[in-house]
Amino acid sequence: MKTSALGLAALLLVGGLSVPAFAASEDSSFDSDFLVTQLQHKGINATDVYENADGIIRAVVKQADGSSTFQYFYKDTLKPVQSTAQGNTRVLSKVDTGVKTAPVYNKSLLVDDFFD
């Protein structure tokens, strides 16, 4: 009994020491605080930065009216990402965003007449 208690104490001690060492060894090359500071030095009122794919970062930028928007920048140069004419973006017109009315349905929604 004395040996197992001593072994358990040693296991807990070694396990407790290895967790901080493992956490410190994780190397992340993304430094959001540094990128926020660099964007602010460029005159962009960035409050937070997130890493996207393909060397592009997404920044939360505070506008003059107090609202926040997302803006995208290249990670290595911090130049704004320009959208292309043939990209996946689409401009919505009044036809796309107009008010649409739901079809009239006078029956009760509680009655199941699916097989009728």
Side-chain angles (χ1 to χ4, degrees):
M1 180 73 178
K2 186 176 182 182
T3 309
S4 63
L6 186 59
L8 180 62
L11 182 65
L12 290 175
L13 179 65
V14 170
L17 293 176
S18 65
V19 172
F22 177 71
S25 68
E26 186 178 323
D27 183 29
S28 176
S29 63
F30 186 75
D31 187 5
S32 62
D33 294 333
F34 174 75
L35 292 171
V36 166
T37 304
Q38 293 302 313
L39 287 170
Q40 289 174 349
H41 283 294
K42 288 181 162 261
I44 299 163
N45 193 13
T47 57
D48 207 355
V49 174
Y50 302 98
E51 187 173 26
N52 278 9
D54 299 333
I56 295 176
I57 59 171
R58 178 181 56 158
V60 179
V61 179
K62 193 164 204 164
Q63 302 296 317
D65 64 354
S67 65
S68 296
T69 60
F70 289 127
Q71 293 182 9
Y72 296 88
F73 300 91
Y74 293 104
K75 184 178 177 181
D76 53 349
T77 62
L78 295 181
K79 290 184 180 179
V81 174
Q82 301 297 325
S83 64
T84 60
Q86 281 84 22
N88 291 331
T89 59
R90 179 174 172 218
V91 177
L92 298 176
S93 66
K94 287 184 180 179
V95 174
D96 296 321
T97 60
V99 176
K100 295 182 176 44
T101 58
V104 177
Y105 189 76
N106 294 329
K107 296 182 180 180
S108 173
L109 296 174
L110 299 176
V111 177
D112 182 18
D113 58 353
F114 182 74
F115 293 108
D116 293 341

